């Protein structure tokens, strides 16, 4: 009777083994499905435009956006699988080489040593490309035209300067290789953050329990630019939704694999920005500016000081009244007003505003009364300026004349609904250098503005050139949260020929898009055509 009982035991063990294998297979399948399942946090939704109808087109665009997100995720998984296969093959090759008893000689040299020397030479070359590029130290440039500007991007959009007649100031990457490149860069940044090297100086738990892992949903924004003879530089910023610390990763692709330059934690929670606004008259524009300042700086950001430098006496009491009214209603006391009884000079005003600060080092934002900015821009300002290291020169999106843009409506929409990046609504003001974020010590070190320059425009370029001629890195990139509101321009007769030319150029660029200006130029021809069409239609109806 022992043999049958033994057979039953073997059969029972076999069944349990099969059940265990089935459970293991089910667990692997469940993990695969969870990995490939769509995420439900909704972060990939389209940033809708205010006033846009939530109709069929919106949902079709939303579905397309989600589909592209999942396709990118699938591509990412395939690439990771391919990388794992490659690593497995490399490990197999290494194992084989270790098992070989003899290593062949090539011209009397060890083949393995030759291969390692070639690899070391390649790494040395790639690192030399990083050293030559403008990544860690600014390059001295002859003029403002020598700067290679960055282009900025989020996980869904690219904000670009070079548009031509077919591209748009804000768009989703059309080319697949460009989409794949940005996805790869974001994931490479995550790999650096989530798996830090010892040289990054980060403990495994950062001293506060388990270390946080970042995902693609924590990516906030990035900048990239390509130096044609060296490679592409990427500046990436990540942040947890409920945190104030940003993770900043710099990557460089020296026409080869991405190479980590640095990984650091950036704490901007205590970074105060001194917004300096020079002003003369224009009290209605200042009232509108203060409405934006109240919403963004007082209610949202809460880490901003306002310095208004006012020229002349006319309108001064009204400006003071607006400031006092905002202070009473919001309990906001972090403002300074500097009164100068002289002719308006923007450089002089900003210089006086910078020197009026008496609390040591501070980050300054040189602003104008016609500028509208968001809370996100203020954080970009903090992240891209560093004392003794970097100054930030964002490219403003300048809005066209709303009377032309919205000519088919009875009245233009509210300002908040005009803040869209479209070809017919505005353009990247890449010839303007007036809006800038820089630290007070850097500004004073380079000598500030040229106070001999009077009138429109040139003083900004002079200051910009000072930084280009020095060792600081100039971050030049379009940013989505900074707009210049349209206002009528007057080019004074007292301007020099160069200043007057720049003023007229700005006035023409600021009025309307190419297509809208064309419609105005050919208005009579269009109206004649419409009259002929109407006459022909009526004649056919009578006949």
């Amino acid at each position: 009777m022992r043999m049958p009982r033994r057979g039953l035991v073997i059969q029972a063990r076999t069944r349990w083994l099969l059940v265990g294998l089935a459970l293991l297979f089910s667990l692997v399948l469940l993990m695969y499905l969870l990995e490939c399942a769509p995420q439900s946090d909704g972060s990939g939704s389209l940033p809708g435009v205010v006033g846009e109808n939530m109709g069929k087109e919106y949902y079709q665009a939303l579905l397309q956006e989600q589909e592209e997100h999942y396709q990118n995720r699938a591509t990412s998984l395939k690439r990771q699988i391919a990388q794992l296969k490659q690593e497995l093959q490399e490990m197999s090759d290494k194992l084989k080489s270790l098992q070989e008893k003899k290593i062949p000689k090539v011209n009397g040299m060890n083949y393995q040593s030759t291969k390692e020397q070639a690899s070391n030479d390649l790494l040395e070359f790639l690192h030399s490309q990083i050293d030559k590029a403008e990544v860690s130290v600014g390059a001295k440039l002859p003029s403002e035209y020598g700067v290679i500007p960055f282009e900025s991007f989020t996980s869904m959009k690219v904000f670009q300067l070079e548009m031509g007649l077919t591209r748009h100031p804000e768009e989703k990457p059309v080319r697949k290789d460009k989409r794949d490149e940005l996805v790869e860069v974001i994931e490479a940044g995550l790999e650096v953050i989530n798996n830090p090297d010892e040289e990054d100086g980060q403990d495994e738990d950062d001293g506060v329990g388990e270390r946080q892992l970042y995902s693609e949903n924590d990516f906030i924004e990035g900048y990239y630019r390509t130096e044609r003879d060296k490679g592409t530089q990427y500046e990436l910023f990540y942040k947890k939704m409920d945190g104030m610390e940003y993770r900043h990763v710099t990557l460089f692709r020296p026409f080869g694999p991405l190479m980590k330059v640095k990984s650091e934690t950036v704490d901007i929670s205590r970074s105060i920005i001194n917004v300096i606004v020079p002003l003369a008259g224009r009290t209605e524009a200042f009232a509108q500016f203060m409405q934006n300042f109240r919403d963004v700086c007082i209610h949202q950001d809460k880490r901003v000081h306002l310095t208004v430098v006012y020229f002349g006496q006319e309108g001064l009491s009204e400006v003071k009244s607006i400031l006092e009214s905002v202070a009473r209603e919001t309990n906001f006391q972090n403002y300074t007003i500097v009164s100068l009884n002289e002719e308006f000079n923007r450089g002089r005003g900003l210089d006086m505003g910078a020197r009026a600060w008496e609390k040591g080092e501070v980050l300054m934002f040189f602003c104008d009364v016609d500028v509208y900015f968001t809370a996100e821009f203020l954080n970009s300002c903090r992240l891209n300026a560093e004392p003794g290291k970097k100054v930030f020169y964002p490219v403003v999106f300048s809005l066209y004349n709303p009377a032309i843009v919205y000519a088919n409506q009875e009245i233009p929409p509210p300002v908040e609904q005009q803040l869209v990046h479209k070809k017919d609504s505005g353009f990247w003001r890449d010839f303007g250098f007036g809006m800038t974020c820089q630290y007070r010590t850097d500004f004073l070190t380079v000598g500030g503005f040229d106070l001999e320059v009077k009138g429109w425009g040139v003083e900004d370029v002079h200051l910009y050139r000072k930084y280009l001629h020095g060792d600081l890195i100039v971050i030049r990139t379009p940013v989505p949260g900074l707009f210049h509101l349209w206002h009528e321009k007057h080019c004074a007769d007292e301007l020099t020929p160069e200043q007057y030319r720049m003023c007229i150029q700005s006035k023409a660029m600021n009025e309307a898009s190419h297509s809208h200006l064309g419609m105005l130029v050919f208005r009579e021809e269009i109206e004649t055509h419409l009259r002929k069409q109407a006459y022909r239609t009526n004649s056919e109806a009578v006949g």
Side-chain angles (χ1 to χ4, degrees):
M1 296 298 291
R2 290 183 179 178
M3 292 299 292
R5 189 178 298 123
R6 184 180 179 184
L8 289 173
V9 171
I10 293 174
Q11 289 179 2
R13 289 181 176 175
T14 303
R15 281 197 300 270
W16 280 110
L17 180 60
L18 292 174
V19 170
L21 289 173
L23 287 174
L24 180 61
F25 177 77
S26 300
L27 181 60
V28 172
L29 180 61
L30 178 61
M31 291 175 65
Y32 174 79
L33 292 174
L34 287 175
E35 178 66 21
C36 295
Q39 299 181 11
S40 58
D41 58 2
S43 62
S45 59
L46 284 170
V49 178
V50 178
E52 188 171 294
N53 293 327
M54 302 287 288
K56 182 179 178 181
E57 293 182 358
Y58 172 82
Y59 289 107
Q60 285 179 341
L62 185 61
L63 288 172
Q64 182 182 354
E65 198 89 15
Q66 292 287 358
E67 183 181 355
E68 290 181 1
H69 176 76
Y70 300 144
Q71 287 177 349
N72 289 338
R73 184 61 180 163
T75 302
S76 170
L77 289 172
K78 289 178 181 177
R79 183 163 54 247
Q80 291 178 32
I81 291 171
Q83 289 174 350
L84 289 172
K85 288 181 178 178
Q86 183 180 357
E87 290 177 6
L88 184 61
Q89 182 63 42
E90 290 175 355
M91 291 179 67
S92 177
D93 292 342
K94 287 181 180 179
L95 185 60
K96 282 184 180 179
S97 64
L98 290 173
Q99 291 174 344
E100 292 176 356
K101 294 181 179 180
K102 293 183 179 180
I103 300 176
K105 303 283 183 175
V106 180
N107 295 331
M109 293 183 63
N110 188 305
Y111 176 79
Q112 189 76 10
S113 300
T114 306
K115 188 175 181 181
E116 289 177 358
Q117 182 61 41
S119 177
N120 291 336
D121 290 344
L122 175 60
L123 283 175
E124 184 178 348
F125 168 77
L126 294 178
H127 281 289
S128 71
Q129 291 288 80
I130 296 178
D131 294 336
K132 293 175 186 175
E134 193 179 352
V135 176
S136 301
V137 180
K140 295 183 179 181
L141 302 172
S143 74
E144 62 271 25
Y145 301 107
V147 171
I148 301 174
F150 287 81
E151 293 192 341
S152 57
F153 66 99
T154 64
S155 57
M156 291 296 175
K157 297 290 177 72
V158 174
F159 304 92
Q160 53 203 6
L161 286 175
E162 299 297 331
M163 294 186 296
L165 295 177
T166 58
R167 298 171 67 190
H168 300 276
E170 169 195 280
E171 67 180 19
K172 293 183 294 184
V174 178
R175 290 172 55 98
K176 182 179 182 300
D177 58 347
K178 191 64 181 177
R179 291 197 303 270
D180 291 346
E181 175 199 4
L182 297 182
V183 169
E184 180 194 3
V185 167
I186 293 172
E187 290 178 351
L190 289 172
E191 178 66 21
V192 169
I193 294 174
N194 292 330
N195 299 287
D197 296 334
E198 292 181 0
E199 63 191 54
D200 293 334
Q202 301 171 27
D203 296 330
E204 284 298 312
D205 57 4
D206 284 339
V208 199
E210 187 175 355
R211 176 164 49 85
Q212 279 188 322
L213 292 179
Y214 286 72
S215 72
E216 57 216 75
N217 298 322
D218 299 319
F219 176 69
I220 302 299
E221 64 180 354
Y223 311 119
Y224 69 93
R225 67 176 176 183
T226 299
E227 295 184 61
R228 296 184 183 278
D229 59 340
K230 300 177 185 70
T232 303
Q233 175 186 350
Y234 304 90
E235 302 288 343
L236 310 172
F237 297 95
Y238 302 80
K239 185 179 82 70
K240 287 291 184 183
M241 185 176 295
D242 54 352
M244 283 301 297
E245 282 191 346
Y246 284 74
R247 295 303 307 272
H248 175 205
V249 177
T250 301
L251 299 175
F252 190 78
R253 189 197 301 274
F255 298 118
L258 285 168
M259 299 180 67
K260 185 190 72 178
V261 177
K262 66 178 177 179
S263 176
E264 61 184 355
T265 298
V266 184
D267 183 7
I268 60 171
S269 58
R270 298 181 181 179
S271 178
I272 304 296
I273 297 179
N274 184 16
V275 179
I276 304 177
V277 181
L279 186 64
R282 308 206 54 214
T283 53
E284 290 184 6
F286 182 70
Q288 184 180 47
F289 173 86
M290 286 306 299
Q291 182 60 49
N292 175 231
F293 185 89
R294 178 205 299 251
D295 294 341
V296 172
C297 300
I298 300 177
H299 292 159
Q300 297 181 50
D301 191 85
K302 302 177 183 178
R303 291 165 291 162
V304 174
H305 185 96
L306 175 63
T307 301
V308 178
V309 182
Y310 196 86
F311 289 82
Q313 296 299 314
E314 185 178 352
L316 176 60
S317 59
E318 191 172 348
V319 167
K320 287 182 176 179
S321 176
I322 293 171
L323 283 169
E324 291 168 359
S325 174
V326 171
R328 282 195 308 272
E329 294 170 6
T330 63
N331 197 29
F332 177 75
Q333 301 299 327
N334 297 327
Y335 71 90
T336 304
I337 184 165
V338 179
S339 177
L340 299 176
N341 192 19
E342 54 190 75
E343 183 183 353
F344 179 80
N345 181 313
R346 186 175 188 274
R348 164 104 168 123
L350 293 172
D351 188 84
M352 289 296 294
R355 297 178 189 278
W357 180 269
E358 298 178 347
K359 300 177 183 179
E361 182 67 291
V362 69
L363 175 59
M364 305 183 299
F365 170 38
F366 293 163
C367 189
D368 282 343
V369 72
D370 301 299
V371 167
Y372 186 104
F373 54 87
T374 64
E376 290 75 18
F377 165 73
L378 293 177
N379 285 334
S380 297
C381 181
R382 294 180 174 101
L383 291 168
N384 290 289
E386 187 177 343
K389 186 81 173 180
K390 295 186 295 187
V391 291
F392 188 39
Y393 272 86
V395 181
V396 182
F397 192 78
S398 189
L399 298 177
Y400 291 133
N401 186 346
I404 298 176
V405 175
Y406 305 98
N408 59 343
Q409 302 181 22
E410 291 186 5
I411 57 173
V415 170
E416 291 77 13
Q417 295 182 24
Q418 299 178 28
L419 305 178
V420 292
H421 302 92
K422 293 185 177 179
K423 214 169 185 182
D424 284 334
S425 65
F427 66 100
W428 293 112
R429 187 186 285 265
D430 57 340
F431 56 83
F433 307 96
M435 306 307 115
T436 173
C437 298
Q438 51 192 259
Y439 276 86
R440 185 174 183 269
T441 52
D442 294 331
F443 175 76
L444 297 177
T445 299
V446 298
F449 286 101
D450 184 352
L451 299 182
E452 298 300 318
V453 177
K454 298 184 183 297
W456 191 91
V458 179
E459 75 282 354
D460 300 327
V461 181
H462 283 192
L463 177 63
Y464 187 63
R465 287 173 179 169
K466 287 182 179 180
Y467 285 116
L468 299 183
H469 297 162
D471 294 327
L472 271 66
I473 298 173
V474 176
I475 304 294
R476 178 74 167 160
T477 178
V479 289
L482 190 63
F483 295 86
H484 182 273
L485 305 181
W486 182 90
H487 63 91
E488 191 171 357
K489 287 185 176 294
H490 298 282
C491 299
D493 293 334
E494 294 78 17
L495 297 176
T496 65
E498 182 185 3
Q499 290 175 329
Y500 191 82
R501 179 186 59 79
M502 291 177 65
C503 184
I504 290 295
Q505 179 188 18
S506 176
K507 185 174 182 178
M509 290 281 292
N510 202 53
E511 197 66 19
S513 66
H514 194 162
S515 59
H516 277 151
L517 286 176
M519 296 294 284
L520 291 175
V521 170
F522 300 110
R523 177 185 293 176
E524 292 185 7
E525 185 176 333
I526 293 170
E527 291 176 351
T528 301
H529 172 74
L530 293 175
R531 285 195 298 268
K532 288 180 179 179
Q533 287 282 22
Y535 177 78
R536 186 177 305 162
T537 302
N538 293 334
S539 298
E540 291 176 354
V542 173

